[in-house]
Each structure stands twice: as structure tokens, then as C-alpha cells.
Amino acid sequence: MTPQDSRRILITGISTYWGGRLAQALEENEEIETIVGVDSEDPTRELERTEFVRVGTQHALLRRLVDAAGIDTVIDTRLVVDSATTSPRLAHENNVIGTMNILAACAGPESTVRKLVFKSSTHFYGCEQDDPAFFTESMGRPHAPQTPIERDIVEAEAAVAEFAEKNPRVSVSLLRFSNVVGPDVRTSHTRLFSLPVVPMILGFDPRYQFVHEDDVVAALAHSAGHDLPGIYNVAADGVLAFTEVCGLLGKRYAPVLPPWGTGLALGPLRRVGLRVPPEMLNQLRYGRGLDNRKLKAAGFAYRYTSREAVLKFGEYLRLHPVLRGVREPYRYEREVEEFLRWSPSVRGGESRLNPSELRGLERLLSAHAEPGGIREGSAPRATEAPEPEPAPEPQLAAPPVEHYDDLETEEILAVLGSLDAADLPTLRDYERANRARHGVLGAIEGLLTRHEAASRG
């Protein structure tokens, strides 16, 4: 699959931080025709041309969406990798059952899906005293999973591997991300490092490797735009000791946690809102290192090293008390979003057309087809001396305005409401026969339905 083949993308977990960030990044790529985001919860980030569908991980419903929209690429961002955010039961349903359902929706010889990107975690490797200095993608897990989240990740990756084996025509990319830091992402590690004094386990100074949140989004987008089958570690260059991390953040550290019974000793931290999940405890002892050369060899360039990612996070910690409350959180409102996307009263899209182009679009869309073409509702012209052989198949009109096929969906939607109802079928037929943009066709069908309802009323 070549990069340009990823034109119709479905993102699962659009309400999660990563799903929303990825959708915003992909919206900037004009070569991508359609972005559909699915989740059972409302989006948490403002989206411009991503179409949100409220649906969970029911494979039958997802399959209908995939087939109807002709999805060629699915990016699964839902995996829960921090057990502090939910219960073990809900995490298992999301991570294992949900993954199996999504894979089932993409499987089969008749499926339009040709690429699958799965966001996983380096919790797959675990953290033990005798681990290698750096895990490579070809290494398995040295020890059996010790925590529920680790077991979920191992089971989910096994399901993805089985899917890749049974569906060789689908390019499957599995990305294992290390610990993430940044100004907006919230994890158990970022909450730990936000404390005035950072507790650590007595006798241990584990090594840490990070990845900046912007590089997480960039790696997912890179995988969507390139043919990268296989497993890839995603971790920035450089490894830092725990005490070095605290120093870069300007934090004091205190080795006050006992090596045994550490979980019980962390109980008082819950009073200040910090819960250290089980999968994090061994990392606070032994840490983990990752070989990141494979993804870099595939053309991906990290913007931040581990050290730079920590420094950026430190800047946020220093500025957060000053900027707190300045930025109003986004809240999804369905009626507002539909108005902004589909109403002809909204300005913005037409500003990208000059006045002559806009007038030409309105005039030519309502005109009859050029000679040799047809217009819905009109009869073909009769000839004076018809030939006995079959007449050539009628062709649709030329583009209704110069460079029509180069116009963005928003630019066409901006003028649809000003067209006569009789002109809409002509535009619909031309669009179907050419680019078949889902947003344009959906808006035209919606306007036709309204006109029909109004005429009946």
C-alpha cells in the first residue's frame, strides 16, 4: 500500500486524548478524503472535518460503517495502558474484547480495509531485574505478565498477530509506545512527577525513556501514511535515571518507599489524588530501555529526545499555575457541530473562493450539461438520421467550474444551500461519477430530502 492509498480513515476511540489529537493532525492532510471517528462517548477535542459516529466496539455496527464509507485504513487508539483510569473489568472489556470486535469488523476477503494501525504499549515487555538493557521488537516477553493491564496488552497483541496472519492482504502496524510526557497528556507518571517532592523506592534509581506527546501523534500519522507492516518501538533517543528526571524538572526526590510492600506504603498518596497502578511499581524499581532504531529506519524522525521531552514537561509545570483557567475546555454539542458543518449560512468556506469562482459555481451548477452530456430529467437529443448501431453511453457534464475537482468539501458545501432543487441531482451525479466525496454527497442528499418534505407539506 502506497501512502496515497490511505484516503478514507476510521479512528477508534475518538473521544480519547490520542484519538482526538490524531484526528486533528490528519485533518491537515488534504490528500485524506474522509476521516470517521467512532466512540461511545462525545469527542473531547474540536474537530473540523472528522465525522463523529456514536458507536462502541460492536463489530456488526463497525463493519457496516467500514463498508458504507469504503474505509481503507483503521487506526485503533483505544487501548487502556494505565489501570488508574478505570476498573480491571472495564479495561479488559476495552482492551481484549473490544480489540477482537474491531478486528472482526476489518476481517474478511470482501472488507475494504487494507491497513490497520494498532496503538500498543511497552508494558508488553514488563519490567524485571534481569531484563535486557534495551528491548528490540523481535524479543518476546521474558516473564509472564504480572498485572491485569500487562495481561490485557499481551492478549490484545496476540489477537492482532492472529488477524495479520489470517488477513495477509492487510498491512498491520503495531506501535509500542514508551512513557509519554507533555503539557496536555495525563498519566500516572506525569501526576507523580508533578508532586512537590517525588517519592522513590529506597535503593533503586531506575532508568527511564520517554516520548513526547507530539511524537506519539506524529508516529501514528506516519504509520497511516506509509506501508509499515510489523512491530515498532516508539521511544525517544536517550535514557535518564529517575533522579536525573527529577533534577531536570527542578523537583526534589525522597527515597522513602520500602522495597517490599511498596504498594501498601503508597496508600497515603491516594489522599492527594495520586494512585500508583500495579504495572508502574516494577518500573519504579528497574525501569526499561527500548531500541528505537527500527522506526527511525522506516523514515520517522523524532522531534524530541527523552531529555528534551522532560524539559518541555518541566516548562509546563512551571507555567501551569499562571495559565490555569485561561483556556476554556472544549465541549461537544451535536447541534452546534451540525450547524457549523452543514448550514449554508455559515461563512468561511466561501472565503477560499474568489467572487468570480463563486458566481461561476452557482451559475454553472444550474446549467444544462455540455453537448454530449445529460442532465437528470431531460431527454437525450434525437438525431436527424439515427445510426443502426447502439448510441454511445451518455457522459456526465464536464466539471461545473474550472478546477472543481480541486475544491475542498467545505468550499462546495458553502454554496449548496443557494442552489435550486432542480440543480442538485446534476451535481450529485457528477460527484458520484468522479470523486464521490462522502461529505458532499451526504449534504446533497440531505438537501434533496428537505426539498421533498417541503413540497409534500
Side-chain angles (χ1 to χ4, degrees):
M1 177 178 286
T2 57
Q4 57 267 30
D5 287 334
S6 292
R7 294 184 179 274
R8 309 184 70 82
I9 297 177
L10 184 141
I11 301 174
T12 68
I14 196 68
S15 72
T16 67
Y17 177 75
W18 299 120
R21 281 287 312 270
L22 177 61
Q24 289 178 323
L26 295 180
E27 286 180 342
E28 298 177 2
N29 185 347
E30 296 183 353
E31 293 185 356
I32 298 176
E33 297 176 358
T34 298
I35 306 172
V36 179
V38 297
D39 210 317
S40 57
E41 302 291 337
D42 290 340
T44 54
R45 304 189 73 83
E46 187 172 3
L47 304 172
E48 294 183 358
R49 63 186 182 98
T50 300
E51 299 180 68
F52 168 58
V53 182
R54 189 185 303 279
V55 62
T57 56
Q58 302 95 324
H59 66 86
L61 294 178
L62 289 174
R63 183 56 178 265
R64 290 177 62 188
L65 289 175
V66 167
D67 292 343
I71 298 297
D72 55 58
T73 301
V74 173
I75 308 177
D76 190 0
T77 69
R78 308 161 303 102
L79 197 72
V80 174
V81 299
D82 189 340
S83 63
T85 61
T86 187
S87 68
R89 180 183 64 82
L90 293 178
H92 180 77
E93 290 180 0
N94 178 84
N95 292 346
V96 180
I97 308 303
T99 297
M100 291 180 177
N101 285 340
I102 289 170
L103 296 176
C106 301
E110 297 181 357
S111 174
T112 59
V113 177
R114 293 294 178 267
K115 181 185 293 183
L116 172 71
V117 180
F118 185 79
K119 181 183 177 295
S120 188
S121 166
T122 51
H123 283 319
F124 172 85
Y125 299 114
C127 295
E128 298 292 343
Q129 187 174 8
D130 57 350
D131 282 347
F134 293 92
F135 281 103
T136 65
E137 292 86 349
S138 61
M139 294 179 179
R141 186 184 173 100
H143 302 275
Q146 302 295 319
T147 67
I149 283 292
E150 292 173 349
R151 285 192 290 271
D152 285 352
I153 293 172
V154 170
E155 288 186 50
E157 287 204 12
V160 173
E162 183 179 3
F163 171 86
E165 182 178 355
K166 292 183 177 179
N167 298 271
R169 60 183 179 72
V170 181
S171 176
V172 179
S173 302
L174 191 150
L175 308 183
R176 292 172 180 160
F177 290 89
S178 64
N179 296 296
V180 185
V181 292
D184 293 326
V185 67
R186 297 292 177 266
T187 70
S188 291
H189 271 101
T190 61
R191 287 188 285 270
L192 177 69
F193 288 124
S194 298
L195 294 176
V197 179
V198 183
M200 58 187 299
I201 300 177
L202 182 65
F204 293 90
D205 192 7
R207 55 207 171 93
Y208 268 83
Q209 196 170 4
F210 295 96
V211 59
H212 192 275
E213 61 183 55
D214 291 347
D215 283 331
V216 173
V217 178
L220 290 169
H222 181 81
S223 299
H226 297 79
D227 187 16
L228 302 178
I231 301 172
Y232 297 85
N233 291 333
V234 186
D237 291 336
V239 176
L240 301 169
F242 188 91
T243 51
E244 287 182 278
V245 176
C246 294
L248 291 173
L249 296 175
K251 299 284 185 176
R252 292 182 297 162
Y253 54 88
V256 295
L257 301 175
W260 298 277
T262 309
L264 294 175
L266 286 167
L269 290 179
R270 295 191 180 95
R271 299 173 185 172
V272 294
L274 177 66
R275 178 187 168 194
V276 178
E279 65 273 6
M280 184 174 162
L281 291 179
N282 264 6
Q283 198 165 6
L284 289 173
R285 292 186 178 92
Y286 310 117
R288 183 167 48 223
L290 301 164
D291 188 327
N292 65 0
R293 292 175 295 177
K294 185 177 178 181
L295 186 60
K296 290 194 291 185
F300 181 71
Y302 290 91
R303 184 177 177 183
Y304 301 94
T305 64
S306 288
R307 180 185 181 88
E308 290 168 343
V310 171
L311 289 173
K312 280 290 183 181
F313 179 57
E315 290 179 10
Y316 160 77
L317 292 179
R318 290 190 293 273
L319 293 174
H320 177 63
V322 179
L323 300 178
R324 183 185 304 167
V326 172
R327 184 172 57 181
E328 185 177 348
Y330 171 76
R331 179 179 177 182
Y332 176 81
E333 295 287 352
R334 178 180 177 182
E335 292 77 8
V336 174
E337 295 293 339
E338 290 183 350
F339 172 80
L340 293 175
R341 290 170 184 264
W342 306 116
S343 174
S345 303
V346 174
R347 298 183 177 182
E350 63 267 37
S351 63
R352 302 174 64 179
L353 295 170
N354 61 51
S356 63
E357 287 178 319
L358 187 56
R359 288 192 297 270
L361 178 59
E362 295 179 357
R363 182 179 65 254
L364 292 175
L365 284 178
S366 62
H368 286 274
E370 297 292 334
I374 63 168
R375 180 182 184 215
E376 186 168 304
S378 62
R381 296 179 180 179
T383 58
E384 295 181 0
E387 297 293 333
E389 59 269 10
E393 291 185 7
Q395 301 295 320
L396 288 171
V401 72
E402 188 178 3
H403 304 305
Y404 171 85
D405 291 328
D406 295 330
L407 298 178
E408 295 294 332
T409 298
E410 295 89 340
E411 296 169 339
I412 299 173
L413 295 180
V415 298
L416 284 181
S418 64
L419 300 180
D420 294 334
D423 300 325
L424 294 174
T426 303
L427 178 59
R428 177 191 60 193
D429 292 344
Y430 179 82
E431 185 67 26
R432 279 178 180 169
N434 291 273
R435 295 185 64 181
R437 285 167 287 190
H438 181 70
V440 174
L441 291 174
I444 294 174
E445 294 293 350
L447 287 172
L448 288 171
T449 301
R450 293 177 199 170
H451 285 306
E452 291 175 4
S455 63
R456 288 195 300 266

